[in-house]
Amino acid sequence: MFGERISEEVFMRELLKCSFCGFCEWVCPTLKAEESRLYGPRGRVNIIIFAIKDGVWTDLGLRSIFNCLVCGACNTQCPAGIKISEYIRSFRYYLISREFRPCFIAK
Amino acid sequence: MNKNDVVRDLRKIVGSGNIEDDELILKLYTRSASNIDGSAIAVVFPRSSEEVSNIVRYCYKNDIKIYPQGSASELVGSSTPYSDGIVLSFEKMNKVKEVSILDSYVITEPGIRLFELNQLLAKYGYMFPVDPASVKSASVGGAINNDSGGMMGARYGTVKNWVLELELVIPDEHGTILRVGSKTMKYRGGYDLVRLIVGSEGTLAITTSATLRITPIPENIVTIGGFFQDMRDLMETVIDVKTKGIELFVMEFIDDKTVESACRTMNLKIKGEGHYLLTSIAVAREASERVLSTLESLYRSHNVVQLYKARSQEEAEKMGLLDIRRALYPLAMKIAHESRRDPRSKMFVEMEDISVPPSKLIEAVNRLRSLEASFGIPMVIGGHVGDGNIHPIVWVEETDRDKLKTFYEMIKEIRRIGTELGGTFSSEHGVGIKKKERLVEEFEFKKSLKSLEVMKEVKKIFDPKGILNPGKMF
Ligand SMILES: Cc1cc2nc3c(=O)[nH]c(=O)nc-3n(C[C@H](O)[C@H](O)[C@H](O)COP(=O)(O)OP(=O)(O)OC[C@H]3O[C@@H](n4cnc5c(N)ncnc54)[C@H](O)[C@@H]3O)c2cc1C
Ligand code: SF4
Ligand code: SF4
């Protein structure tokens, strides 16, 4: 599934499991460097949600998604079992294939 | 005031890298684990107490509300901002300033996470002994303002026992910096403003620095975990252990549904059926066997079915004796998501936070179970049973409109149990937005509504214009 384009529904089905607990952040190298939630796994998971569920997308979102190292350190920390780095990677493919304009799926 | 002017003015105080008003960032910093989304003019990242003071002075003058925030892991909406104000994030004020082993304290900025603080202290053989399940995200500032507790609460209590001294900025016209408490164990200089701030949910003052008491990591910890078919047997074991006068380190439980999910989905070294009770005791190494055998015979006298023993903390961790309990909330989330019908809808998972005196535990659990049956909403329970703190967790799907009303009625009843049995609806998670109504009801029940008036007067003294985290608690 990962490494190819996945649908908005699949992103939502998995990422909406995020409870915003923040357990994943302390291991994240880019969050340590930038000292901002935007550049950590919780931030990345939620900006994908904001893009697809709420239709909110800005250049900073792009920067956050593309400066992830996809190191996977966050995956081991997530109590909801979200494979965070894999979804970030897939979202990059998704963005490229949509010319960097995510699709807003209204409910 | 115009939003752009506010951002421009505050940028002059904190510098351009330390203020954001990008739409995506605003959404990210106005959300929390409470499931309530807010909004804000900007997110400001101060780097020093002086900057905080300057921000406060500016906001006071221009009637801009201030919403302090640590890791936003709170569960009651206490960090939720509104569009009339700024989020003050302590993410960049995260430095440890001093560790003193001789004087048993650490001085730190508020933004550091508890887990990272303890990683540092472990190098000295010391710890800050408050370990909420959210220890990997919870910040010092958030834990202080929420008066957090955790698994070691049975022995060490909550944050209020571990704060010696605070540096605060109060929301007056000068952004005055206060220093309250002292570095000593004993301090009787007037009213105890330190403990007034602890648990005040960021409504009275902004914490910019804290001197925290620290304690040596115990020489050895023995642990016993056992599965019981009958919840009554488990609770009687708790009562028996407590009445024997054994000094607890950790005493925690989870119910059979959570155990079933844990054994099915987690990679555990232990297996069992029924309800799970975990007890740890801090001991001198030589006393390990004796204490373990006392615990074992107490567990056995209450019909434990499977029993696991660990002679050290490392062994307990290797066996997963603690992990199964730590996973209470995540497991509840998993069970909740397994029942989700619409992939695009969120599950509302509410972790309640009642406490009862331990003598009332059996009654509390029976009442909780009968609520589950009468409301028809699924529930799992677990918690810090050693100090009488139970976390019932219930859930409903965002889009299940019919059930939502029943769901919130059931939550009200859960909270009532704590109050009616001589305890409380709010043990360690706070009041925030979600539990304001219950705060009034609890004081009504105690025939003490005047207490609430006193609290509101206190708020006015600290925050005459009502600009600091308004809309919370009252
Ligand atoms: C999965 C999970 C498990 C949890 N388990 C526990 C538990 O076992 N025990 C427990 O006690 N809690 C628990 N919590 C709740 C929460 O994580 C803790 O209360 C935590 O200490 C909050 O810290 P924070 O940094 O996230 O604070 P935030 O959520 O950011 O803020 C909490 C409150 O403090 C205020 N605040 C934050 N920083 C400052 C500051 N510098 N000055 C003034 N006010 C400030 C905020 O305005 C808010 O009112 C849990 C939460 C989750 C998601
Ligand atoms: S994969 Fe990305 S988000 Fe996860 S820890 Fe690594 S850098 Fe951070
Ligand atoms: S650990 Fe998982 S559930 Fe928690 S914030 Fe990170 S992605 Fe969300």
Side-chain angles (χ1 to χ4, degrees), chain A residues 13 16-23 25-26 35-37 42 46 50 54 56 58 61 77 79 105, chain B residues 22 24 27-29 31 33 47 69-71 91-92 94 113 115 119 136-137 330 333 340 344 346:
Chain A
R13 194 185 61 219
L16 283 174
K17 289 181 186 163
C18 173
S19 64
F20 215 75
C21 68
F23 294 5
E25 289 185 338
W26 73 282
E35 290 186 311
S36 165
R37 185 173 304 155
R42 169 165 64 167
N46 280 275
F50 297 147
D54 305 328
V56 176
T58 70
Q77 302 295 318
I105 46 162
Chain B
D22 174 88
L24 213 49
K27 275 186 85 64
L28 200 53
Y29 281 85
R31 170 166 279 197
R47 296 231 176 223
Q69 191 187 99
S71 281
E91 224 167 5
K92 297 185 182 184
N94 55 12
R113 295 166 206 270
F115 187 73
Q119 279 183 321
K136 285 184 178 168
S137 58
M333 296 280 290
R340 182 166 60 162
R344 282 176 298 170
K346 237 184 130 54

Side-chain angles (χ1 to χ4, degrees), chain B residues 263-416:
Chain B
C263 293
R264 186 162 43 84
T265 62
M266 290 173 74
N267 192 15
L268 290 169
K269 297 226 165 47
I270 59 168
K271 288 267 175 276
E273 274 178 22
H275 315 283
Y276 178 72
L277 177 67
L278 163 82
T279 308
S280 298
I281 314 280
V283 291
R285 229 170 269 285
E286 309 78 60
S288 302
E289 284 304 329
R290 177 171 53 77
V291 172
L292 267 180
S293 78
T294 308
L295 284 177
E296 180 173 354
S297 56
L298 283 170
Y299 269 57
R300 292 215 183 278
S301 69
H302 293 289
N303 311 315
V304 68
V305 188
Q306 285 112 332
L307 192 129
Y308 296 91
K309 293 188 284 183
R311 283 161 188 77
S312 69
Q313 188 75 344
E314 298 72 56
E315 200 184 341
E317 292 289 2
K318 261 193 207 141
M319 292 166 77
L321 292 181
L322 299 134
D323 276 346
I324 180 171
R325 156 61 185 101
R326 284 194 191 112
L328 170 67
Y329 186 63
L331 286 168
M333 296 280 290
K334 271 207 182 94
I335 301 172
H337 279 99
E338 281 164 6
S339 68
R340 182 166 60 162
R341 285 179 305 189
D342 175 356
R344 282 176 298 170
S345 78
K346 237 184 130 54
M347 295 302 291
F348 289 153
V349 182
E350 290 290 343
M351 174 152 63
E352 284 305 309
D353 182 32
I354 64 171
S355 269
V356 298
S359 59
K360 303 279 189 211
L361 276 168
I362 294 176
E363 193 179 341
V365 171
N366 288 342
R367 282 180 63 174
L368 286 170
R369 284 289 173 232
S370 57
L371 286 183
E372 185 183 11
S374 60
F375 280 90
I377 302 261
M379 177 199 284
V380 296
I381 56 174
H384 317 289
V385 74
D387 57 22
N389 185 187
I390 307 176
H391 293 310
I393 306 176
V394 286
W395 57 89
V396 70
E397 195 163 345
E398 180 184 36
T399 44
D400 195 345
R401 306 241 176 262
D402 298 341
K403 271 218 178 121
L404 269 173
K405 194 163 166 273
T406 322
F407 179 70
Y408 288 112
E409 274 166 19
M410 178 173 174
I411 286 176
K412 275 189 181 172
E413 292 302 317
I414 293 173
R415 292 175 187 167
R416 200 189 299 270

Side-chain angles (χ1 to χ4, degrees), chain A residues 8-103:
Chain A
E8 289 85 4
E9 270 78 13
V10 174
F11 279 117
M12 287 303 95
R13 194 185 61 219
E14 279 310 300
L15 300 186
L16 283 174
K17 289 181 186 163
C18 173
S19 64
F20 215 75
C21 68
F23 294 5
C24 49
E25 289 185 338
W26 73 282
V27 291
C28 176
T30 54
L31 186 138
K32 276 203 178 74
E34 304 271 353
E35 290 186 311
S36 165
R37 185 173 304 155
L38 182 70
Y39 299 103
R42 169 165 64 167
R44 293 179 176 121
V45 164
N46 280 275
I47 62 177
I48 299 175
I49 296 174
F50 297 147
I52 295 177
K53 193 170 186 239
D54 305 328
V56 176
W57 184 246
T58 70
D59 286 352
L60 279 179
L62 200 65
R63 185 163 186 263
S64 160
I65 292 296
F66 280 89
N67 103 349
C68 167
L69 303 176
V70 201
C71 66
C74 48
N75 299 344
T76 57
Q77 302 295 318
C78 178
I82 302 171
K83 294 193 177 70
I84 306 166
S85 61
E86 299 299 341
Y87 283 94
I88 296 169
R89 192 205 305 269
S90 295
F91 196 62
R92 289 179 178 173
Y93 283 105
Y94 170 90
L95 283 172
I96 292 167
S97 68
R98 292 193 52 86
E99 291 171 349
F100 300 97
R101 277 190 299 272
C103 171

Side-chain angles (χ1 to χ4, degrees), chain B residues 5 132 187 192 208 227-228 319 328 337 356 369 445 463:
Chain B
D5 293 343
Y187 176 72
D192 189 348
T208 49
F227 295 89
F228 297 79
M319 292 166 77
L328 170 67
H337 279 99
V356 298
R369 284 289 173 232
F445 179 84
D463 184 14

